[in-house]
Amino acid sequence: MELIATAPGGVAKLRELILTLAVQGKLVPQDPADEPAGVLLQKIRAEKDRLIVEGKSKRDKPLAAIAEEEKPFELPLLIGPHKD
């Protein structure tokens, strides 16, 4: 571990590796019984809609448009099917 910490750019590379593994879900054991994120998002949306009807929550406000000068990098084009 000491070798990584003293190598040029070693700490940055280690952080990048950890972030990559985290995004890929490889840092903790995965439960095959977990439902896909899309299913969970649908359940959350249904619950939010129910709370709105009951008057216990408000509709989300639309996000403001991002100005060109506010974009820190070029956004990738979406390829394939997607939902807005």
Side-chain angles (χ1 to χ4, degrees):
M1 185 65 158
E2 191 173 308
L3 182 63
I4 293 172
T6 58
V11 173
K13 288 180 182 178
L14 182 59
R15 283 185 183 140
E16 184 178 339
L17 173 62
I18 292 170
L19 179 60
T20 299
L21 292 173
V23 169
Q24 294 175 356
K26 294 183 178 178
L27 291 182
V28 295
Q30 300 300 303
D31 184 353
D34 284 345
E35 60 193 6
V39 173
L40 179 58
L41 290 172
Q42 287 175 344
K43 288 180 180 180
I44 292 170
R45 182 77 257 165
E47 177 68 9
K48 176 77 174 180
D49 291 344
R50 184 184 66 76
L51 291 172
I52 290 169
V53 168
E54 293 176 3
K56 295 180 180 178
S57 185
K58 295 181 180 179
R59 291 230 174 261
D60 296 333
K61 295 179 182 176
L63 298 175
I66 300 172
E68 248 347 278
E69 62 271 5
E70 295 176 316
K71 297 177 185 177
F73 51 86
E74 187 174 331
L75 298 176
L77 297 175
L78 294 175
I79 299 174
H82 65 279
K83 293 183 179 181
D84 292 327

